[in-house]
Amino acid sequence: MKIQKIVLKLSLSLCFILSTELATAQFGGLLNKVGKVVSSKGTQALGLDKLLKEPEAISTNFEDVDRNGEQMPSFQQEATYKPLQDLPRNGNDGFILQAGHFEMTNKSYCLKAGTHAPSSGDGYMYAPSLGKKKEVVTTILKSAENHPEVKQNDIQMLLWTIIAKTKFIDYAGPVKATALTLLTPKQLLQLEGGALGVLPFDAMAAAKEQLPESIQAIFEAENNIRNLVSSGNYSYEEFEKYAILAGMATPRADTPSGIWTLHPDGYYMRYFPSGYSITRIQIYVPEELIKEGEKLIYDATDDISCPANNGSQRLAQTNEPIINR
């Protein structure tokens, strides 16, 4: 009876906030509002406070995109593009850029479970990698280049597991093996910080009842992934079933596919995803950017390609080209 009263009070409080804020709030702002409500003792007893207030492993979203200097798809439309992968490498940290137009089709990864796969009409723009587990995710993307024996699907499952805030002690099966291969012992310990266990059904159900549908899907997907990986008995297809929503999110008319972002380092770039596992990038480097004695570096592992529609997947990029495609 006490639990029912707690849930009822939580519901009334959240309904008030959502009715006044939902029309204009972005995901992050709405989550902050919810977090304030769930700080009550009753909510703590249900375990919802930790669920709703835990920061994202990767927090980058479209609000982090700097749209100053953006160009529509027709920009540089007559250009001929050279293979980006033919440029000199900067060790394990990407490519040394030259003046001109370059493109590469590379491996990419979904960094937001419970969202729609990219569609042909989605506009994606550059934003920096941000969040509590940024360094761990970047290390995985860099380390993968040195471990060609590790399959892309196994790396994707590991990234979904991290995004789902899974405790490393709960890792089992192929995901654990991949983590041990790509991360140092110190980085493995970082996976414990801010992580969650599998939430009981009652706590998950109580949270879902109070939240907008878009947030419900993400929370449920993350909890399902935590449950799946802790079992040690799973397939990539099972991960994908929870991580990828059926159908397509509605593209935003003001951010068409092929839109250019002006990178903070002065060059232009754009993304053409094919699903979430493959992305073709194009880069235009104006001649005045290249200065003698200075390196201009493109390192994809620091970048997130963000969809204008928050219901679509944000994508981690890599320096690993996919040849013959």
Side-chain angles (χ1 to χ4, degrees):
M1 189 65 181
K2 288 184 178 180
I3 295 294
Q4 291 177 338
K5 289 182 178 179
I6 291 169
V7 173
L8 179 59
K9 289 180 180 179
L10 177 62
S11 176
L12 292 173
S13 299
L14 282 168
C15 285
F16 173 76
I17 288 175
L18 296 178
S19 64
T20 57
E21 299 290 341
L22 185 57
T24 57
Q26 295 293 325
F27 178 86
L30 180 58
L31 195 56
N32 288 337
K33 293 282 188 180
V34 174
K36 291 178 182 178
V37 173
V38 300
S39 61
S40 67
K41 291 183 179 179
T43 306
Q44 292 173 9
L46 290 173
L48 302 184
D49 59 323
K50 188 172 184 180
L51 169 68
L52 296 173
K53 293 170 67 176
E54 187 60 44
E56 290 187 88
I58 296 295
S59 60
T60 304
N61 59 54
F62 200 70
E63 293 179 357
D64 298 309
V65 172
D66 183 354
R67 302 194 66 166
N68 291 318
E70 69 179 42
Q71 299 290 339
M72 288 295 109
S74 58
F75 179 64
Q76 300 292 313
Q77 64 180 357
E78 302 299 326
T80 300
Y81 291 84
K82 301 175 184 178
L84 177 65
Q85 62 267 28
D86 289 350
L87 290 175
R89 291 297 300 259
N90 187 49
N92 200 37
D93 297 324
F95 301 89
I96 302 173
L97 292 176
Q98 300 173 1
H101 300 80
F102 303 91
E103 69 177 359
M104 179 173 73
T105 299
N106 55 255
K107 295 179 182 179
S108 55
Y109 294 93
C110 169
L111 289 183
K112 198 170 188 68
T115 50
H116 295 280
S119 70
S120 58
D122 280 335
Y124 274 74
M125 300 185 75
Y126 160 83
S129 181
L130 303 170
K132 192 171 184 178
K133 296 294 189 294
K134 169 192 170 181
E135 288 77 12
V136 171
V137 169
T138 300
T139 297
I140 290 170
L141 300 176
K142 289 183 182 294
S143 183
E145 288 193 75
N146 301 321
H147 291 278
E149 77 280 6
V150 181
K151 297 179 181 179
Q152 184 175 4
N153 283 359
D154 289 333
I155 296 171
Q156 179 63 80
M157 287 193 293
L158 173 59
L159 291 172
W160 275 329
T161 300
I162 292 171
I163 296 304
K165 311 179 189 76
T166 311
K167 293 181 179 180
F168 182 66
I169 196 172
D170 291 333
Y171 282 34
V175 164
K176 185 173 184 178
T178 303
L180 290 170
T181 300
L182 300 181
L183 295 171
T184 66
K186 181 179 178 180
Q187 290 164 338
L188 293 173
L189 286 175
Q190 292 177 24
L191 296 178
E192 282 294 309
L196 298 172
V198 179
L199 292 163
F201 175 81
D202 289 348
M204 195 66 204
K208 282 184 62 178
E209 289 177 2
Q210 321 308 323
L211 299 173
E213 186 175 349
S214 59
I215 302 179
Q216 286 182 25
I218 293 168
F219 281 176
E220 184 172 21
E222 290 182 352
N223 196 53
N224 285 334
I225 288 171
R226 289 193 294 272
N227 187 45
L228 193 64
V229 74
S230 65
S231 73
N233 183 22
Y234 48 80
S235 66
Y236 180 77
E237 288 71 25
E238 288 175 297
F239 262 81
E240 192 175 48
K241 178 181 69 175
Y242 292 132
I244 312 301
L245 294 182
M248 297 292 178
T250 304
R252 274 177 46 171
D254 65 332
T255 314
S257 175
I259 191 169
W260 292 86
T261 308
L262 177 60
H263 190 276
D265 289 338
Y267 56 85
Y268 293 86
M269 61 190 309
R270 61 178 175 175
Y271 304 96
F272 296 97
S274 296
Y276 58 85
S277 60
I278 298 172
T279 301
R280 178 166 60 96
I281 64 159
Q282 291 185 332
I283 293 177
Y284 163 53
V285 184
E287 287 191 20
E288 59 269 21
L289 283 184
I290 305 303
K291 299 178 181 178
E292 188 174 351
E294 297 181 11
K295 290 182 180 180
L296 181 63
I297 306 300
Y298 168 69
D299 186 357
T301 61
D302 294 328
D303 300 354
I304 304 291
S305 54
C306 284
N309 189 316
N310 283 334
S312 294
Q313 295 159 357
R314 60 193 175 198
L315 304 176
Q317 300 301 316
T318 73
N319 299 318
E320 293 189 78
I322 298 176
I323 309 299
N324 299 325
R325 182 176 175 85

